[in-house]
Amino acid sequence: MSDLTRDQIRHLSQLAHLNLTDEELDRVSDELDQIVDSVARVQEAASEDIEATSHPIALTNVFRADVVRGVLSQEEALSGAPEAETGRFKVPAILDEDDR
Amino acid sequence: MNHHEMIRLTALQMAEELRKKTFSSVELTRAHFERIYEIDGTAEAGIHAYLHLNEDEAYAVAAEVDAIRAAGGAEAEQLHPYAGVPIAIKDNIVTIGQPTTAASKMLEGWMSPYDATVIRTIRAAKLPILGKNNMDEFAMGSTTEYSAFGVTRNPWDLNRAPGGSGGGSAAAVAAFMAPWALGSDTGGSIREPAAFTGTVGTKPTYGSVSRYGLIAMASSFDQIGPHARTTADAAALHQLIAGHDPKDATSLRTSWDGLLDAAQNQDLRGMRIGVLDELQGPGFTDEIDRQFETVLDMLRDAGAIVSIVECPNIKYALPAYYLVVPSEASSNLARFDGLRYGNRVVPHEGATAAEVMAASREAGFGDEVKRRIILGTYALSAGYVDAYYSSAQRVRTLVQQDLNKAFEKVDVMIGPTTPTVAVPMGEQVSDPVSMYLDDVVTTPANLAGIPAISIPGGTADHGMPVGMHIQGPAKADEVVYRVAAGLERLIEEATGVPFYDRAPELTAAVTMEGERL
């Protein structure tokens, strides 16, 4: 069995900004335990001297000239926003959270 | 030609008949919508391949194509050869004017302000877009039972899953509700539903088709590709959408002009075809193994040279996939928090940003998505990143090296696409590990970025389709199509009919009244 505990799952879900109910925590704990057990054997094959591959093809930086091109209008950019106000995205306050 | 006959043509045949004016694009589009209205139904009773229908725009495009053809002259000559042939789109490819939800409540009702590059190509070629197809939420799943808007069913047996995550696209194509569709393949999401529904699905070489406008699950794995009923149709659609895109930094500067020609060159003589020793036997049903042996005999009789190849690290591909993909997914999906993207849930007055994010993500994501986000967060967390994520990335290197070595000896490799035929609905929802095992054959191609295709290779248990999986070296998509088309021809010659014509005849009575549900 993996060493993944219910408390760890709760902590991970908080890190991922997911509120899990107690019932979900129970279920996810069992399932993740099984999943982690079944995937942990990657460690058998992967010795330190093997280079890690992050991407299937070699990547190079792509640059382009710093010129204005066709872009979304302000209206188009805001069209999918949950909330907007005076032409800007409106989100809950973050900076003064500690004062609440 | 009546509507029933029209929709059973291949996409390339439709294109030819449109050019000859045997029927119009409006008639062809109407025939498909009639079929959709007749059998698609709902998640409770029907196939439920579509989440959204795009009738007004589809008819407008079709009418435009018809008018240009009727007028003749230079504009008609410049029409794309496939203009007027309808297409369906997986719901994680963004489209102006239609909802794009990735089958998630998180994006319910969202309308994209821009088109994916592939959609711009489709629009430029004037292919009427029939609508958006159902899928597993954010492309996570192997059955299309994880859509937030209800399951899709397999047209070959409505009690079985169509495979995932592109089950809606594959089912639409299999049930003659679209001649072809665009899907996305991160670990088999085009090929596995193709296998389960008796259709053709391709995962192109990574970088051959622009991912701009594809809602990302795992960016170094995702690839847009075609669903179709024949190899030639898949090659034609692949060739249409492939090419360099400056909006995608991973897009290759390679020419893909020979794909359709390759799919029409079906000569298998002298082709070196490898069978992966590690992907046979345990886990694969006897009937699948038997059908595979039959296919190998056909290939040998046609002059192909079949040999066993070894990829000793391939057994680690699936676990590596299920560590790296959730890691990339947890990062990609972090933007869906109700603040930056996605539907916002405010749990109480004056809720903090963190409370809004947590409430939005709790309400917006389904079980499989949450499971993978937590798994990815775990694999990337301090103390575990070396053991899991980094180890998996090293395995990726080993799998690539193994495959490169194998492709020095053979032109392509072949095997069954899935260990079993389509599973009964509900069977794997409570057993994610079992569901993940469905992807054992398909995931290595995504780890290595190589091209792979699934084509129908006969039937097995319960008369359900068996997929045959052909993969080749990176950028050798032409070779993959050539072998696939050759095998397709052999299978058709053996039975006397195209495989897609062997699908059960579905009617409204079957799908709506639930006689077979």
Side-chain angles (χ1 to χ4, degrees):
Chain A
M1 296 293 281
S2 79
D3 56 358
L4 202 51
T5 64
R6 194 173 183 277
D7 282 345
Q8 267 181 306
I9 302 279
R10 188 196 301 278
H11 178 62
L12 290 166
S13 64
Q14 285 165 350
L15 287 176
H17 293 298
L18 285 169
N19 277 344
L20 297 189
T21 62
D22 283 345
E23 186 196 331
E24 279 180 314
L25 268 176
D26 289 338
R27 197 179 64 241
V28 169
S29 299
D30 283 351
E31 289 167 352
L32 281 182
D33 211 30
Q34 288 176 44
I35 294 167
V36 170
D37 272 349
S38 69
V39 297
R41 62 200 176 99
V42 291
Q43 297 165 71
E44 295 167 15
S47 61
E48 292 286 331
D49 58 326
I50 299 160
E51 204 173 318
T53 297
S54 64
H55 216 266
I57 57 172
L59 288 178
T60 50
N61 272 336
V62 178
F63 297 100
R64 66 179 181 213
D66 185 18
V67 292
V68 177
R69 299 192 299 180
V71 292
L72 295 180
S73 67
Q74 185 184 44
E75 199 177 71
E76 286 168 333
L78 290 171
S79 65
E83 281 185 80
E85 193 175 277
T86 61
R88 297 180 175 89
F89 294 98
K90 186 180 176 189
V91 299
I94 295 172
L95 296 178
D96 60 350
E97 272 184 9
D98 291 343
D99 299 334
R100 295 182 189 203
Chain B
M1 190 178 290
N2 65 37
H3 284 188
H4 178 78
E5 292 163 340
M6 235 181 257
I7 59 173
R8 299 180 84 90
L9 297 174
T10 69
L12 289 173
Q13 287 169 338
M14 288 177 193
E16 192 181 343
E17 298 305 327
L18 285 172
R19 292 194 297 270
K20 291 194 310 201
K21 299 180 186 170
T22 309
F23 46 72
S24 71
S25 177
V26 167
E27 279 180 276
L28 184 62
T29 303
R30 183 173 294 123
H32 282 100
F33 280 122
E34 281 176 3
R35 175 71 171 172
I36 293 166
Y37 276 113
E38 184 190 7
I39 64 163
D40 198 37
T42 63
E44 289 72 37
I47 295 172
H48 196 227
Y50 283 90
L51 291 177
H52 170 79
L53 295 181
N54 185 43
E55 284 181 273
D56 290 350
E57 188 196 305
Y59 281 123
V61 171
E64 186 190 350
V65 171
D66 291 341
I68 293 170
R69 282 221 169 89
E75 205 182 348
E77 279 174 25
Q78 283 166 10
L79 265 183
H80 192 281
Y82 311 149
V85 179
I87 189 167
I89 308 291
K90 191 176 182 181
D91 200 32
N92 58 351
I93 300 174
V94 304
T95 46
I96 292 174
Q98 305 170 65
T100 299
T101 68
S104 178
K105 284 185 182 158
M106 182 59 86
L107 286 172
E108 188 169 13
W110 181 63
M111 304 283 281
S112 169
Y114 72 104
D115 272 334
T117 295
V118 289
I119 299 299
R120 289 172 68 103
T121 306
I122 294 297
R123 291 194 200 281
K126 299 192 190 304
L127 272 53
I129 296 173
L130 297 167
K132 304 297 283 290
N133 291 131
N134 201 7
M135 55 184 283
D136 283 306
E137 183 179 5
F138 283 108
M140 298 184 193
S142 302
T143 60
T144 312
E145 291 174 283
Y146 286 107
S147 164
F149 306 118
V151 302
T152 297
R153 292 170 190 276
N154 192 321
W156 283 71
D157 178 348
L158 298 172
N159 293 304
R160 291 175 185 270
S165 68
S169 301
V173 170
F176 303 97
M177 292 190 282
W180 51 22
L182 285 185
S184 68
D185 191 309
T186 307
S189 286
I190 293 175
R191 291 163 286 156
E192 191 207 55
F196 281 4
T197 61
T199 54
V200 176
T202 311
K203 200 287 283 183
T205 288
Y206 183 85
S208 102
V209 179
S210 170
R211 289 181 299 109
Y212 179 76
L214 171 66
I215 295 176
M217 174 175 32
S219 313
S220 75
F221 294 76
D222 299 338
Q223 187 57 205
I224 291 176
H227 291 270
R229 283 192 291 271
T230 68
T231 303
D233 279 2
L237 181 56
H238 183 169
Q239 191 167 317
L240 173 66
I241 58 173
H244 180 252
D245 179 12
K247 290 179 174 169
D248 177 356
T250 59
S251 174
L252 294 170
R253 293 178 185 274
T254 306
S255 170
W256 307 97
D257 290 344
L259 301 181
L260 181 55
D261 282 348
Q264 287 165 339
N265 171 9
Q266 301 159 345
D267 188 1
L268 293 171
R269 277 172 300 181
M271 293 298 293
R272 299 171 304 160
I273 297 179
V275 176
L276 263 180
D277 204 19
E278 290 80 6
L279 290 181
Q280 293 190 89
F284 291 75
T285 65
D286 291 345
E287 279 200 74
I288 294 249
D289 281 342
R290 265 199 296 276
Q291 191 57 34
F292 182 45
E293 288 301 326
T294 305
V295 162
L296 289 181
D297 287 342
M298 286 178 174
L299 291 169
R300 287 189 194 99
D301 290 347
I305 303 154
V306 177
S307 61
I308 299 288
V309 290
E310 290 177 358
C311 286
N313 293 295
I314 212 100
K315 58 180 176 290
Y316 300 111
L318 187 68
Y321 174 88
Y322 274 103
L323 284 166
V324 182
V325 166
S327 301
E328 291 192 21
S330 69
S331 170
N332 273 322
L333 268 59
R335 73 190 70 172
F336 297 105
D337 57 11
L339 268 66
R340 290 166 292 180
Y341 293 93
N343 290 326
R344 183 176 299 170
V345 175
V346 181
H348 56 81
E349 201 179 336
T352 65
E355 287 166 344
V356 171
M357 284 194 254
S360 299
R361 287 163 70 80
E362 168 61 18
F365 289 145
D367 289 344
E368 179 61 19
V369 174
K370 289 177 190 166
R371 199 150 54 205
R372 293 202 197 188
I373 287 175
I374 295 172
L375 179 60
T377 308
Y378 177 59
L380 291 173
S381 62
Y384 296 97
V385 68
D386 279 339
Y388 295 125
Y389 179 75
S390 302
S391 295
Q393 295 285 47
R394 290 191 195 102
V395 164
R396 196 171 188 175
T397 308
L398 293 173
V399 170
Q400 280 190 356
Q401 288 172 348
D402 275 7
L403 288 170
N404 287 342
K405 214 183 245 178
F407 284 126
E408 288 171 5
K409 296 177 188 154
V410 296
D411 298 307
V412 297
M413 283 190 263
I414 189 169
T417 310
T418 51
T420 68
V421 297
V423 292
M425 303 288 295
E427 192 171 84
Q428 292 183 338
V429 170
S430 57
D431 185 359
V433 173
S434 159
M435 180 176 74
Y436 296 168
L437 287 174
D438 283 347
D439 304 333
V440 66
V441 177
T442 52
T443 48
N446 301 78
L447 280 169
I450 61 175
I453 192 170
S454 178
I455 67 163
T459 55
D461 315 62
H462 314 286
M464 295 299 291
V466 179
M468 289 298 149
H469 187 254
I470 300 159
Q471 54 189 348
K475 302 184 184 176
D477 303 51
E478 282 184 30
V479 183
V480 170
Y481 277 119
R482 180 176 161 186
V483 175
L487 177 57
E488 181 182 70
R489 179 179 55 86
L490 296 174
I491 289 167
E492 184 174 333
E493 280 174 1
T495 57
V497 291
F499 191 87
Y500 57 83
D501 261 347
R502 293 159 63 183
E505 189 70 35
L506 290 167
T507 64
V510 172
T511 55
M512 301 302 179
E513 293 171 13
E515 288 173 12
R516 294 173 54 195
L517 295 179

